[in-house]
Amino acid sequence: MHDPAGRHPVGAAGLRLVAAFLAAAVAGCASSSERSGEPPGVGDEAARQGAPESKLHVNNRNWLDMRIYALRGSERITLLSVTSMRTDSVPLPARLLTAGGFRLLADPVGADPYRSNTIYLRPGQTVWWRLENTLNQSSLWVY
């Protein structure tokens, strides 16, 4: 089925359609980090933006006000301040949801700080931390 004039049976319109399809397919293969100019792995935060939000709720039953931090490796991230005998909440930064986990630090004004065990959290999970007047009797749960 070849045209006597030497033209391809698909025709010029068909070739343009195939060329447009291939160009779109090649452009779609570029990763978001390549398009943004970031090195691989840096755009992972954007990939998690569609993930459900994780939250931290702190119930401070201690007589002292507390500054709450997240500890990940050598990084110390300020999360919130909770007044004595109050409860407060904050969304957790997505960068804490890594395989290495993180710890919480309660830093009371005028006393020694208290650290939680390592927390391994998935997107959408909630952390409740109840700080007692005797900090080593505090409790933490994740659901």
Side-chain angles (χ1 to χ4, degrees):
M1 252 184 78
H2 213 285
D3 188 0
R7 291 180 291 197
H8 195 274
V10 174
L15 288 176
R16 280 192 295 265
L17 182 62
V18 170
F21 175 76
L22 289 174
V26 169
C29 289
S31 72
S32 62
S33 62
E34 288 171 337
R35 284 186 293 238
S36 67
E38 297 173 340
V42 174
D44 294 342
E45 179 89 16
R48 287 190 288 255
Q49 286 179 353
E53 181 178 71
S54 295
K55 290 192 92 166
L56 168 67
H57 301 280
V58 178
N59 180 351
N60 185 11
R61 295 181 174 193
N62 195 287
W63 294 337
L64 300 172
D65 296 346
M66 299 281 175
R67 300 268 318 186
I68 308 298
Y69 301 92
L71 304 174
R72 186 182 66 160
S74 62
E75 184 179 20
R76 183 172 165 162
I77 303 162
T78 303
L79 297 176
L80 73 151
S81 294
V82 184
T83 306
S84 176
M85 304 303 164
R86 302 289 278 225
T87 299
D88 204 353
S89 304
V90 65
L92 289 170
R95 69 181 189 262
L96 292 177
L97 311 180
T98 63
F102 65 97
R103 295 175 76 178
L104 293 173
L105 172 78
D107 192 5
V109 177
D112 291 330
Y114 174 74
R115 288 177 181 79
S116 73
N117 291 329
T118 303
I119 301 167
Y120 301 96
L121 203 61
R122 292 189 313 252
Q125 288 186 308
T126 300
V127 177
W128 281 90
W129 201 19
R130 185 171 61 207
L131 299 170
E132 299 296 345
N133 201 42
T134 304
L135 285 172
N136 64 0
Q137 294 177 352
S138 298
S139 57
L140 184 140
W141 59 99
V142 176
Y143 70 93

